[in-house]
PDB file of all heavy atoms in Angstrom:
ATOM      1  N   TRP A 266      94.469  99.803 108.719  1.00 97.00           N
ATOM      2  CA  TRP A 266      95.052  98.648 109.293  1.00 97.00           C
ATOM      3  C   TRP A 266      96.500  98.890 109.999  1.00 97.00           C
ATOM      4  O   TRP A 266      96.764  98.358 111.022  1.00 97.00           O
ATOM      5  CB  TRP A 266      95.243  97.471 108.263  1.00 97.00           C
ATOM      6  CG  TRP A 266      95.971  96.363 108.809  1.00 97.00           C
ATOM      7  CD1 TRP A 266      97.343  96.075 108.586  1.00 97.00           C
ATOM      8  CD2 TRP A 266      95.329  95.369 109.495  1.00 97.00           C
ATOM      9  NE1 TRP A 266      97.598  94.874 109.236  1.00 97.00           N
ATOM     10  CE2 TRP A 266      96.364  94.432 109.703  1.00 97.00           C
ATOM     11  CE3 TRP A 266      94.038  95.103 109.959  1.00 97.00           C
ATOM     12  CZ2 TRP A 266      96.103  93.227 110.607  1.00 97.00           C
ATOM     13  CZ3 TRP A 266      93.845  93.869 110.658  1.00 97.00           C
ATOM     14  CH2 TRP A 266      94.885  92.960 110.923  1.00 97.00           C
ATOM     15  N   ALA A 267      97.247  99.586 109.205  1.00 96.00           N
ATOM     16  CA  ALA A 267      98.625  99.940 109.808  1.00 96.00           C
ATOM     17  C   ALA A 267      98.601 100.542 111.155  1.00 96.00           C
ATOM     18  O   ALA A 267      99.257 100.170 112.056  1.00 96.00           O
ATOM     19  CB  ALA A 267      99.376 100.785 108.785  1.00 96.00           C
ATOM     20  N   ARG A 268      97.691 101.605 111.375  1.00 95.00           N
ATOM     21  CA  ARG A 268      97.633 102.067 112.775  1.00 95.00           C
ATOM     22  C   ARG A 268      97.131 101.148 113.755  1.00 95.00           C
ATOM     23  O   ARG A 268      97.779 101.162 114.871  1.00 95.00           O
ATOM     24  CB  ARG A 268      96.579 103.409 112.538  1.00 95.00           C
ATOM     25  CG  ARG A 268      96.787 104.257 113.822  1.00 95.00           C
ATOM     26  CD  ARG A 268      95.882 105.448 113.766  1.00 95.00           C
ATOM     27  NE  ARG A 268      94.362 105.185 113.644  1.00 95.00           N
ATOM     28  CZ  ARG A 268      93.486 106.033 113.750  1.00 95.00           C
ATOM     29  NH1 ARG A 268      93.813 107.363 113.761  1.00 95.00           N
ATOM     30  NH2 ARG A 268      92.211 105.778 113.556  1.00 95.00           N
ATOM     31  N   HIS A 269      96.106 100.300 113.319  1.00 93.00           N
ATOM     32  CA  HIS A 269      95.692  99.281 114.227  1.00 93.00           C
ATOM     33  C   HIS A 269      96.839  98.272 114.541  1.00 93.00           C
ATOM     34  O   HIS A 269      97.171  97.955 115.752  1.00 93.00           O
ATOM     35  CB  HIS A 269      94.531  98.481 113.659  1.00 93.00           C
ATOM     36  CG  HIS A 269      94.178  97.241 114.170  1.00 93.00           C
ATOM     37  ND1 HIS A 269      93.443  97.277 115.479  1.00 93.00           N
ATOM     38  CD2 HIS A 269      94.497  95.936 113.968  1.00 93.00           C
ATOM     39  CE1 HIS A 269      93.357  95.852 115.869  1.00 93.00           C
ATOM     40  NE2 HIS A 269      93.956  95.092 114.957  1.00 93.00           N
ATOM     41  N   ASP A 270      97.520  97.830 113.590  1.00 94.00           N
ATOM     42  CA  ASP A 270      98.549  96.805 113.824  1.00 94.00           C
ATOM     43  C   ASP A 270      99.728  97.334 114.675  1.00 94.00           C
ATOM     44  O   ASP A 270     100.187  96.713 115.493  1.00 94.00           O
ATOM     45  CB  ASP A 270      99.117  96.269 112.527  1.00 94.00           C
ATOM     46  CG  ASP A 270     100.063  95.169 112.532  1.00 94.00           C
ATOM     47  OD1 ASP A 270      99.802  94.333 113.465  1.00 94.00           O
ATOM     48  OD2 ASP A 270     101.000  94.956 111.761  1.00 94.00           O
ATOM     49  N   LEU A 271     100.211  98.609 114.366  1.00 94.00           N
ATOM     50  CA  LEU A 271     101.204  99.161 114.996  1.00 94.00           C
ATOM     51  C   LEU A 271     100.993  99.512 116.508  1.00 94.00           C
ATOM     52  O   LEU A 271     101.770  99.296 117.416  1.00 94.00           O
ATOM     53  CB  LEU A 271     101.732 100.439 114.396  1.00 94.00           C
ATOM     54  CG  LEU A 271     102.331 100.337 112.976  1.00 94.00           C
ATOM     55  CD1 LEU A 271     102.329 101.638 112.365  1.00 94.00           C
ATOM     56  CD2 LEU A 271     103.768  99.741 113.038  1.00 94.00           C
ATOM     57  N   THR A 272      99.794  99.780 116.691  1.00 90.00           N
ATOM     58  CA  THR A 272      99.307 100.060 118.136  1.00 90.00           C
ATOM     59  C   THR A 272      99.111  98.767 118.977  1.00 90.00           C
ATOM     60  O   THR A 272      99.636  98.684 120.052  1.00 90.00           O
ATOM     61  CB  THR A 272      97.908 100.701 118.117  1.00 90.00           C
ATOM     62  OG1 THR A 272      98.014 101.977 117.367  1.00 90.00           O
ATOM     63  CG2 THR A 272      97.511 101.076 119.610  1.00 90.00           C
ATOM     64  N   GLN A 273      98.483  97.774 118.205  1.00 86.00           N
ATOM     65  CA  GLN A 273      98.278  96.468 118.985  1.00 86.00           C
ATOM     66  C   GLN A 273      99.610  95.738 119.280  1.00 86.00           C
ATOM     67  O   GLN A 273      99.811  95.096 120.288  1.00 86.00           O
ATOM     68  CB  GLN A 273      97.291  95.543 118.054  1.00 86.00           C
ATOM     69  CG  GLN A 273      95.903  96.009 118.032  1.00 86.00           C
ATOM     70  CD  GLN A 273      95.408  96.193 119.349  1.00 86.00           C
ATOM     71  OE1 GLN A 273      94.915  97.252 120.005  1.00 86.00           O
ATOM     72  NE2 GLN A 273      95.080  94.974 120.030  1.00 86.00           N
ATOM     73  N   SER A 274     100.649  95.796 118.251  1.00 80.00           N
ATOM     74  CA  SER A 274     101.722  95.029 118.359  1.00 80.00           C
ATOM     75  C   SER A 274     102.728  95.690 119.464  1.00 80.00           C
ATOM     76  O   SER A 274     103.650  95.046 119.994  1.00 80.00           O
ATOM     77  CB  SER A 274     102.450  94.882 117.049  1.00 80.00           C
ATOM     78  OG  SER A 274     102.868  96.232 116.555  1.00 80.00           O
ATOM     79  N   GLY A 275     102.619  96.957 119.579  1.00 74.00           N
ATOM     80  CA  GLY A 275     103.583  97.645 120.515  1.00 74.00           C
ATOM     81  C   GLY A 275     104.931  97.759 119.787  1.00 74.00           C
ATOM     82  O   GLY A 275     105.960  97.988 120.523  1.00 74.00           O
ATOM     83  N   ALA A 276     104.998  97.586 118.576  1.00 59.00           N
ATOM     84  CA  ALA A 276     106.299  97.600 117.841  1.00 59.00           C
ATOM     85  C   ALA A 276     106.983  98.812 117.826  1.00 59.00           C
ATOM     86  O   ALA A 276     108.242  98.893 117.866  1.00 59.00           O
ATOM     87  CB  ALA A 276     106.176  97.124 116.405  1.00 59.00           C
ATOM     88  N   VAL A 277     106.361  99.896 117.891  1.00 55.00           N
ATOM     89  CA  VAL A 277     106.888 101.271 117.999  1.00 55.00           C
ATOM     90  C   VAL A 277     106.239 102.004 118.940  1.00 55.00           C
ATOM     91  O   VAL A 277     105.150 101.888 119.296  1.00 55.00           O
ATOM     92  CB  VAL A 277     106.841 101.954 116.569  1.00 55.00           C
ATOM     93  CG1 VAL A 277     107.596 101.221 115.465  1.00 55.00           C
ATOM     94  CG2 VAL A 277     105.371 102.122 116.149  1.00 55.00           C
ATOM     95  N   THR A 278     107.052 102.974 119.558  1.00 52.00           N
ATOM     96  CA  THR A 278     106.483 103.828 120.536  1.00 52.00           C
ATOM     97  C   THR A 278     105.744 105.108 119.964  1.00 52.00           C
ATOM     98  O   THR A 278     106.172 105.572 118.762  1.00 52.00           O
ATOM     99  CB  THR A 278     107.538 104.382 121.549  1.00 52.00           C
ATOM    100  OG1 THR A 278     108.665 105.057 120.700  1.00 52.00           O
ATOM    101  CG2 THR A 278     108.315 103.219 122.273  1.00 52.00           C
ATOM    102  N   ARG A 279     104.876 105.627 120.611  1.00 47.00           N
ATOM    103  CA  ARG A 279     104.112 106.746 120.139  1.00 47.00           C
ATOM    104  C   ARG A 279     105.080 108.019 120.007  1.00 47.00           C
ATOM    105  O   ARG A 279     105.940 108.154 120.792  1.00 47.00           O
ATOM    106  CB  ARG A 279     102.960 107.087 120.993  1.00 47.00           C
ATOM    107  CG  ARG A 279     101.909 106.186 120.839  1.00 47.00           C
ATOM    108  CD  ARG A 279     100.562 106.504 121.558  1.00 47.00           C
ATOM    109  NE  ARG A 279      99.625 105.548 121.497  1.00 47.00           N
ATOM    110  CZ  ARG A 279      98.610 105.600 120.493  1.00 47.00           C
ATOM    111  NH1 ARG A 279      98.723 106.598 119.671  1.00 47.00           N
ATOM    112  NH2 ARG A 279      97.686 104.683 120.423  1.00 47.00           N
ATOM    113  N   LEU A 280     104.754 108.891 119.040  1.00 45.00           N
ATOM    114  CA  LEU A 280     105.615 110.029 118.933  1.00 45.00           C
ATOM    115  C   LEU A 280     105.339 111.091 119.883  1.00 45.00           C
ATOM    116  O   LEU A 280     104.152 111.361 120.254  1.00 45.00           O
ATOM    117  CB  LEU A 280     105.419 110.734 117.436  1.00 45.00           C
ATOM    118  CG  LEU A 280     105.507 109.708 116.272  1.00 45.00           C
ATOM    119  CD1 LEU A 280     105.108 110.414 114.997  1.00 45.00           C
ATOM    120  CD2 LEU A 280     107.099 109.322 116.152  1.00 45.00           C
ATOM    121  N   SER A 281     106.429 111.696 120.472  1.00 40.00           N
ATOM    122  CA  SER A 281     106.080 112.664 121.564  1.00 40.00           C
ATOM    123  C   SER A 281     105.843 114.068 120.990  1.00 40.00           C
ATOM    124  O   SER A 281     105.041 114.837 121.416  1.00 40.00           O
ATOM    125  CB  SER A 281     107.283 112.720 122.520  1.00 40.00           C
ATOM    126  OG  SER A 281     108.488 113.075 121.851  1.00 40.00           O
ATOM    127  N   GLN A 282     106.434 114.357 119.777  1.00 39.00           N
ATOM    128  CA  GLN A 282     106.184 115.678 119.196  1.00 39.00           C
ATOM    129  C   GLN A 282     106.613 115.517 117.731  1.00 39.00           C
ATOM    130  O   GLN A 282     107.701 114.949 117.514  1.00 39.00           O
ATOM    131  CB  GLN A 282     107.089 116.675 119.941  1.00 39.00           C
ATOM    132  CG  GLN A 282     106.694 118.124 119.394  1.00 39.00           C
ATOM    133  CD  GLN A 282     107.202 119.158 120.374  1.00 39.00           C
ATOM    134  OE1 GLN A 282     107.435 118.803 121.604  1.00 39.00           O
ATOM    135  NE2 GLN A 282     107.461 120.412 119.741  1.00 39.00           N
ATOM    136  N   VAL A 283     105.799 116.107 116.889  1.00 38.00           N
ATOM    137  CA  VAL A 283     106.124 116.075 115.449  1.00 38.00           C
ATOM    138  C   VAL A 283     107.115 117.088 115.155  1.00 38.00           C
ATOM    139  O   VAL A 283     108.234 116.809 114.351  1.00 38.00           O
ATOM    140  CB  VAL A 283     104.823 116.301 114.707  1.00 38.00           C
ATOM    141  CG1 VAL A 283     105.161 116.446 113.160  1.00 38.00           C
ATOM    142  CG2 VAL A 283     103.906 115.084 114.895  1.00 38.00           C
ATOM    143  N   ASP A 284     106.918 118.405 115.322  1.00 41.00           N
ATOM    144  CA  ASP A 284     108.048 119.365 115.116  1.00 41.00           C
ATOM    145  C   ASP A 284     107.591 120.578 116.082  1.00 41.00           C
ATOM    146  O   ASP A 284     106.661 120.634 116.703  1.00 41.00           O
ATOM    147  CB  ASP A 284     108.096 119.827 113.778  1.00 41.00           C
ATOM    148  CG  ASP A 284     106.783 120.321 113.096  1.00 41.00           C
ATOM    149  OD1 ASP A 284     106.002 120.924 113.803  1.00 41.00           O
ATOM    150  OD2 ASP A 284     106.590 120.147 111.881  1.00 41.00           O
ATOM    151  N   SER A 285     108.408 121.559 115.973  1.00 39.00           N
ATOM    152  CA  SER A 285     108.357 122.813 116.789  1.00 39.00           C
ATOM    153  C   SER A 285     107.215 123.696 116.329  1.00 39.00           C
ATOM    154  O   SER A 285     106.743 124.478 117.065  1.00 39.00           O
ATOM    155  CB  SER A 285     109.649 123.690 116.751  1.00 39.00           C
ATOM    156  OG  SER A 285     109.935 124.037 115.393  1.00 39.00           O
ATOM    157  N   GLU A 286     106.656 123.492 115.229  1.00 45.00           N
ATOM    158  CA  GLU A 286     105.482 124.278 114.666  1.00 45.00           C
ATOM    159  C   GLU A 286     104.222 123.831 115.163  1.00 45.00           C
ATOM    160  O   GLU A 286     103.133 124.422 115.081  1.00 45.00           O
ATOM    161  CB  GLU A 286     105.496 124.232 113.141  1.00 45.00           C
ATOM    162  CG  GLU A 286     106.759 124.750 112.494  1.00 45.00           C
ATOM    163  CD  GLU A 286     106.530 124.553 110.913  1.00 45.00           C
ATOM    164  OE1 GLU A 286     105.744 123.986 110.493  1.00 45.00           O
ATOM    165  OE2 GLU A 286     107.559 125.140 110.324  1.00 45.00           O
ATOM    166  N   SER A 287     104.064 122.674 115.815  1.00 45.00           N
ATOM    167  CA  SER A 287     102.744 122.005 116.260  1.00 45.00           C
ATOM    168  C   SER A 287     102.850 121.656 117.743  1.00 45.00           C
ATOM    169  O   SER A 287     103.953 121.469 118.234  1.00 45.00           O
ATOM    170  CB  SER A 287     102.498 120.834 115.327  1.00 45.00           C
ATOM    171  OG  SER A 287     103.426 119.881 115.404  1.00 45.00           O
ATOM    172  N   ALA A 288     101.692 121.434 118.205  1.00 44.00           N
ATOM    173  CA  ALA A 288     101.580 120.894 119.582  1.00 44.00           C
ATOM    174  C   ALA A 288     102.087 119.452 119.540  1.00 44.00           C
ATOM    175  O   ALA A 288     102.063 118.730 118.538  1.00 44.00           O
ATOM    176  CB  ALA A 288     100.153 120.990 120.036  1.00 44.00           C
ATOM    177  N   PRO A 289     102.315 118.858 120.629  1.00 40.00           N
ATOM    178  CA  PRO A 289     102.711 117.435 120.722  1.00 40.00           C
ATOM    179  C   PRO A 289     101.588 116.572 120.059  1.00 40.00           C
ATOM    180  O   PRO A 289     100.462 116.699 120.172  1.00 40.00           O
ATOM    181  CB  PRO A 289     102.851 117.188 122.252  1.00 40.00           C
ATOM    182  CG  PRO A 289     103.204 118.496 122.811  1.00 40.00           C
ATOM    183  CD  PRO A 289     102.440 119.443 122.010  1.00 40.00           C
ATOM    184  N   ASP A 290     102.222 115.617 119.290  1.00 47.00           N
ATOM    185  CA  ASP A 290     101.277 114.736 118.445  1.00 47.00           C
ATOM    186  C   ASP A 290     101.486 113.255 118.823  1.00 47.00           C
ATOM    187  O   ASP A 290     102.648 112.729 118.745  1.00 47.00           O
ATOM    188  CB  ASP A 290     101.577 115.000 117.029  1.00 47.00           C
ATOM    189  CG  ASP A 290     100.573 114.341 115.985  1.00 47.00           C
ATOM    190  OD1 ASP A 290     100.117 113.218 116.480  1.00 47.00           O
ATOM    191  OD2 ASP A 290     100.364 114.857 114.930  1.00 47.00           O
ATOM    192  N   GLN A 291     100.498 112.721 119.438  1.00 56.00           N
ATOM    193  CA  GLN A 291     100.584 111.354 120.016  1.00 56.00           C
ATOM    194  C   GLN A 291     100.264 110.371 119.024  1.00 56.00           C
ATOM    195  O   GLN A 291     100.241 109.111 119.332  1.00 56.00           O
ATOM    196  CB  GLN A 291      99.541 111.233 121.018  1.00 56.00           C
ATOM    197  CG  GLN A 291      99.925 112.161 122.321  1.00 56.00           C
ATOM    198  CD  GLN A 291     101.380 111.966 122.859  1.00 56.00           C
ATOM    199  OE1 GLN A 291     101.934 110.837 123.040  1.00 56.00           O
ATOM    200  NE2 GLN A 291     102.173 113.090 122.942  1.00 56.00           N
ATOM    201  N   ARG A 292     100.150 110.581 117.780  1.00 73.00           N
ATOM    202  CA  ARG A 292      99.932 109.556 116.711  1.00 73.00           C
ATOM    203  C   ARG A 292     101.060 108.824 116.318  1.00 73.00           C
ATOM    204  O   ARG A 292     102.079 109.334 116.004  1.00 73.00           O
ATOM    205  CB  ARG A 292      99.122 110.295 115.518  1.00 73.00           C
ATOM    206  CG  ARG A 292      97.758 110.790 115.719  1.00 73.00           C
ATOM    207  CD  ARG A 292      97.121 111.630 114.548  1.00 73.00           C
ATOM    208  NE  ARG A 292      97.892 112.873 114.401  1.00 73.00           N
ATOM    209  CZ  ARG A 292      97.453 113.840 113.626  1.00 73.00           C
ATOM    210  NH1 ARG A 292      96.315 113.724 113.034  1.00 73.00           N
ATOM    211  NH2 ARG A 292      98.210 115.005 113.551  1.00 73.00           N
ATOM    212  N   ILE A 293     100.934 107.561 116.140  1.00 91.00           N
ATOM    213  CA  ILE A 293     101.923 106.670 115.555  1.00 91.00           C
ATOM    214  C   ILE A 293     102.153 107.144 114.148  1.00 91.00           C
ATOM    215  O   ILE A 293     103.317 107.330 113.740  1.00 91.00           O
ATOM    216  CB  ILE A 293     101.605 105.195 115.593  1.00 91.00           C
ATOM    217  CG1 ILE A 293     101.918 104.841 117.144  1.00 91.00           C
ATOM    218  CG2 ILE A 293     102.433 104.394 114.772  1.00 91.00           C
ATOM    219  CD1 ILE A 293     101.422 103.299 117.348  1.00 91.00           C
ATOM    220  N   ILE A 294     101.157 107.373 113.349  1.00 95.00           N
ATOM    221  CA  ILE A 294     101.198 107.772 111.993  1.00 95.00           C
ATOM    222  C   ILE A 294     100.944 109.199 111.855  1.00 95.00           C
ATOM    223  O   ILE A 294      99.778 109.600 112.065  1.00 95.00           O
ATOM    224  CB  ILE A 294     100.280 107.000 110.990  1.00 95.00           C
ATOM    225  CG1 ILE A 294     100.740 105.464 111.121  1.00 95.00           C
ATOM    226  CG2 ILE A 294     100.411 107.465 109.638  1.00 95.00           C
ATOM    227  CD1 ILE A 294      99.825 104.529 110.463  1.00 95.00           C
ATOM    228  N   SER A 295     101.994 110.036 111.627  1.00 95.00           N
ATOM    229  CA  SER A 295     101.785 111.519 111.581  1.00 95.00           C
ATOM    230  C   SER A 295     101.816 111.919 110.180  1.00 95.00           C
ATOM    231  O   SER A 295     101.328 113.089 109.827  1.00 95.00           O
ATOM    232  CB  SER A 295     102.875 112.293 112.328  1.00 95.00           C
ATOM    233  OG  SER A 295     104.036 111.958 111.796  1.00 95.00           O
ATOM    234  N   ASN A 296     102.418 111.217 109.287  1.00 97.00           N
ATOM    235  CA  ASN A 296     102.617 111.638 107.731  1.00 97.00           C
ATOM    236  C   ASN A 296     102.008 110.455 106.977  1.00 97.00           C
ATOM    237  O   ASN A 296     102.374 109.363 107.274  1.00 97.00           O
ATOM    238  CB  ASN A 296     104.048 111.890 107.574  1.00 97.00           C
ATOM    239  CG  ASN A 296     104.556 113.246 108.241  1.00 97.00           C
ATOM    240  OD1 ASN A 296     104.330 113.312 109.417  1.00 97.00           O
ATOM    241  ND2 ASN A 296     105.144 114.043 107.444  1.00 97.00           N
ATOM    242  N   VAL A 297     101.552 110.771 105.854  1.00 98.00           N
ATOM    243  CA  VAL A 297     101.154 109.801 104.762  1.00 98.00           C
ATOM    244  C   VAL A 297     101.652 110.299 103.505  1.00 98.00           C
ATOM    245  O   VAL A 297     101.494 111.470 103.105  1.00 98.00           O
ATOM    246  CB  VAL A 297      99.617 109.517 104.726  1.00 98.00           C
ATOM    247  CG1 VAL A 297      99.278 108.641 103.553  1.00 98.00           C
ATOM    248  CG2 VAL A 297      99.061 109.025 105.985  1.00 98.00           C
ATOM    249  N   VAL A 298     102.300 109.400 102.771  1.00 97.00           N
ATOM    250  CA  VAL A 298     102.872 109.656 101.451  1.00 97.00           C
ATOM    251  C   VAL A 298     102.322 108.718 100.489  1.00 97.00           C
ATOM    252  O   VAL A 298     102.452 107.531 100.607  1.00 97.00           O
ATOM    253  CB  VAL A 298     104.416 109.725 101.385  1.00 97.00           C
ATOM    254  CG1 VAL A 298     104.946 110.893 102.247  1.00 97.00           C
ATOM    255  CG2 VAL A 298     105.050 108.449 101.760  1.00 97.00           C
ATOM    256  N   PHE A 299     101.856 109.303  99.332  1.00 98.00           N
ATOM    257  CA  PHE A 299     101.421 108.391  98.198  1.00 98.00           C
ATOM    258  C   PHE A 299     102.549 108.103  97.368  1.00 98.00           C
ATOM    259  O   PHE A 299     102.796 108.633  96.286  1.00 98.00           O
ATOM    260  CB  PHE A 299     100.322 109.011  97.447  1.00 98.00           C
ATOM    261  CG  PHE A 299      98.979 109.017  98.132  1.00 98.00           C
ATOM    262  CD1 PHE A 299      98.583 109.757  99.160  1.00 98.00           C
ATOM    263  CD2 PHE A 299      97.883 108.116  97.638  1.00 98.00           C
ATOM    264  CE1 PHE A 299      97.402 109.775  99.690  1.00 98.00           C
ATOM    265  CE2 PHE A 299      96.646 108.050  98.157  1.00 98.00           C
ATOM    266  CZ  PHE A 299      96.414 108.853  99.251  1.00 98.00           C
ATOM    267  N   MET A 300     103.549 107.289  97.719  1.00 94.00           N
ATOM    268  CA  MET A 300     104.780 106.853  97.151  1.00 94.00           C
ATOM    269  C   MET A 300     104.890 105.435  96.962  1.00 94.00           C
ATOM    270  O   MET A 300     105.877 104.937  96.768  1.00 94.00           O
ATOM    271  CB  MET A 300     105.931 107.540  97.853  1.00 94.00           C
ATOM    272  CG  MET A 300     105.986 109.047  97.887  1.00 94.00           C
ATOM    273  SD  MET A 300     107.453 109.694  98.745  1.00 94.00           S
ATOM    274  CE  MET A 300     107.211 111.426  98.611  1.00 94.00           C
ATOM    275  N   GLY A 301     103.763 104.632  97.357  1.00 92.00           N
ATOM    276  CA  GLY A 301     103.883 103.199  97.128  1.00 92.00           C
ATOM    277  C   GLY A 301     103.579 102.882  95.696  1.00 92.00           C
ATOM    278  O   GLY A 301     103.998 103.568  94.696  1.00 92.00           O
ATOM    279  N   MET A 302     102.990 101.746  95.518  1.00 93.00           N
ATOM    280  CA  MET A 302     102.738 101.262  94.167  1.00 93.00           C
ATOM    281  C   MET A 302     101.692 102.083  93.435  1.00 93.00           C
ATOM    282  O   MET A 302     100.720 102.488  93.941  1.00 93.00           O
ATOM    283  CB  MET A 302     102.252  99.826  94.218  1.00 93.00           C
ATOM    284  CG  MET A 302     103.296  98.705  94.919  1.00 93.00           C
ATOM    285  SD  MET A 302     102.610  97.179  95.213  1.00 93.00           S
ATOM    286  CE  MET A 302     102.468  96.589  93.523  1.00 93.00           C
ATOM    287  N   GLY A 303     102.039 102.461  92.153  1.00 95.00           N
ATOM    288  CA  GLY A 303     101.074 103.120  91.307  1.00 95.00           C
ATOM    289  C   GLY A 303     101.392 104.667  91.141  1.00 95.00           C
ATOM    290  O   GLY A 303     102.098 105.149  91.938  1.00 95.00           O
ATOM    291  N   GLU A 304     100.807 105.186  90.154  1.00 97.00           N
ATOM    292  CA  GLU A 304     100.667 106.642  89.977  1.00 97.00           C
ATOM    293  C   GLU A 304      99.446 107.251  90.495  1.00 97.00           C
ATOM    294  O   GLU A 304      98.357 106.994  89.862  1.00 97.00           O
ATOM    295  CB  GLU A 304     100.849 106.997  88.425  1.00 97.00           C
ATOM    296  CG  GLU A 304     100.572 108.301  88.070  1.00 97.00           C
ATOM    297  CD  GLU A 304     101.331 109.436  88.734  1.00 97.00           C
ATOM    298  OE1 GLU A 304     102.437 109.485  88.688  1.00 97.00           O
ATOM    299  OE2 GLU A 304     100.635 110.286  89.484  1.00 97.00           O
ATOM    300  N   PRO A 305      99.471 107.969  91.609  1.00 98.00           N
ATOM    301  CA  PRO A 305      98.246 108.413  92.342  1.00 98.00           C
ATOM    302  C   PRO A 305      97.297 109.213  91.352  1.00 98.00           C
ATOM    303  O   PRO A 305      96.148 109.070  91.462  1.00 98.00           O
ATOM    304  CB  PRO A 305      98.714 109.150  93.446  1.00 98.00           C
ATOM    305  CG  PRO A 305     100.129 108.742  93.740  1.00 98.00           C
ATOM    306  CD  PRO A 305     100.733 108.259  92.424  1.00 98.00           C
ATOM    307  N   LEU A 306      97.908 110.122  90.587  1.00 98.00           N
ATOM    308  CA  LEU A 306      97.015 110.979  89.726  1.00 98.00           C
ATOM    309  C   LEU A 306      96.454 110.252  88.519  1.00 98.00           C
ATOM    310  O   LEU A 306      95.703 110.824  87.819  1.00 98.00           O
ATOM    311  CB  LEU A 306      97.760 112.185  89.352  1.00 98.00           C
ATOM    312  CG  LEU A 306      98.301 112.995  90.518  1.00 98.00           C
ATOM    313  CD1 LEU A 306      98.925 114.288  89.943  1.00 98.00           C
ATOM    314  CD2 LEU A 306      97.181 113.381  91.516  1.00 98.00           C
ATOM    315  N   LEU A 307      96.759 108.985  88.293  1.00 97.00           N
ATOM    316  CA  LEU A 307      96.029 108.237  87.311  1.00 97.00           C
ATOM    317  C   LEU A 307      94.903 107.339  87.968  1.00 97.00           C
ATOM    318  O   LEU A 307      94.298 106.620  87.361  1.00 97.00           O
ATOM    319  CB  LEU A 307      97.040 107.263  86.554  1.00 97.00           C
ATOM    320  CG  LEU A 307      97.947 108.043  85.585  1.00 97.00           C
ATOM    321  CD1 LEU A 307      98.960 107.042  84.943  1.00 97.00           C
ATOM    322  CD2 LEU A 307      97.286 108.882  84.536  1.00 97.00           C
ATOM    323  N   ASN A 308      94.707 107.566  89.206  1.00 98.00           N
ATOM    324  CA  ASN A 308      93.512 106.932  89.965  1.00 98.00           C
ATOM    325  C   ASN A 308      92.961 108.181  90.759  1.00 98.00           C
ATOM    326  O   ASN A 308      92.837 108.082  91.966  1.00 98.00           O
ATOM    327  CB  ASN A 308      94.125 105.895  90.980  1.00 98.00           C
ATOM    328  CG  ASN A 308      92.839 105.153  91.648  1.00 98.00           C
ATOM    329  OD1 ASN A 308      91.747 105.283  91.189  1.00 98.00           O
ATOM    330  ND2 ASN A 308      93.213 104.482  92.662  1.00 98.00           N
TER     331      ASN A 308
END
């Protein structure tokens, strides 16, 4: 949903490059962290 919403809303521009170790990355979401609600390893 987040990728869909961010793309449709045009609220942020696409990333031109993630870092020098990789080729240019055109994804809005390049990283995911399980740091939201809950303890991931208990699910």
